[in-house]
Amino acid sequence: MKDLLCDQFQNTVSEMMLCHRSILDVLAKVQESGARVQRSVVQSVTSCGCQKINANKKSIPEDATLVDLKSLLDSHLSGELCSHCRENIETEIGRSLFYMTALCNLLDLNLYDIFIKEHKQLEILRGYTLT
Ligand SMILES: [Zn+2]
């Protein structure tokens, strides 16, 4: 059973892809939209300031287990996204999803199948990291 929302999104993207039908255009847009996601996150730190990045080298004990790593390693982020930055980042991630889905369409790949495949891989990996 396919996920209806995923398939509807993929169909809508297909209908909207009038201007960018070339694989070259879509590949360029995938890269550009990914860079815009990163830029919007950086702007939440450097322009707005609602988030801060505090990164340094972590010292990890030699006997640390995978479970220990979860508490030893962090995101290096502090603060909370303001509504403006949240909106910007969500918009850029949405555009990025649009072009990734457009890439799926051109390559005749099903987005939902990719979600399922990736989710299964993550579940296998989780099984190893929690033991
Ligand atoms: Zn902000």
Side-chain angles (χ1 to χ4, degrees):
M1 187 175 92
K2 298 284 185 185
D3 181 77
L4 197 56
L5 179 63
C6 243
D7 284 349
Q8 286 175 340
F9 182 72
Q10 192 159 6
N11 287 336
T12 303
V13 169
S14 179
E15 291 167 9
M16 300 294 292
M17 291 299 298
L18 297 174
C19 299
H20 304 287
R21 293 202 91 52
S22 162
I23 186 73
L24 298 174
D25 287 342
V26 171
L27 286 172
K29 287 292 188 181
V30 165
Q31 188 173 23
E32 179 188 330
S33 63
R36 290 180 64 97
V37 169
Q38 293 175 32
R39 184 171 172 261
S40 66
V41 173
V42 168
Q43 283 182 324
S44 74
V45 175
T46 59
S47 294
C48 178
C50 61
Q51 292 202 106
K52 292 187 180 354
I53 296 173
N54 184 10
N56 53 18
K57 182 178 179 186
K58 298 287 181 185
S59 59
I60 300 172
E62 283 185 29
D63 61 343
T65 65
L66 287 174
V67 175
D68 295 335
L69 289 179
K70 222 172 189 179
S71 60
L72 291 170
L73 302 175
D74 66 46
S75 69
H76 302 128
L77 274 174
S78 62
E80 192 171 323
L81 285 175
C82 70
S83 60
H84 175 75
C85 292
R86 176 177 297 276
E87 177 68 27
N88 277 349
I89 293 169
E90 286 176 348
T91 298
E92 298 303 343
I93 289 174
R95 284 188 188 141
S96 188
L97 287 173
F98 178 91
Y99 287 112
M100 289 300 287
T101 305
L103 181 62
C104 289
N105 287 342
L106 289 181
L107 298 174
D108 198 26
L109 301 172
N110 183 276
L111 188 60
Y112 185 68
D113 290 344
I114 294 169
F115 274 129
I116 295 298
K117 188 176 180 181
E118 186 65 20
H119 187 243
K120 282 181 183 170
Q121 290 289 337
L122 291 174
E123 284 186 329
I124 291 169
L125 204 60
R126 184 174 62 182
Y128 284 111
T129 58
L130 292 179
T131 56

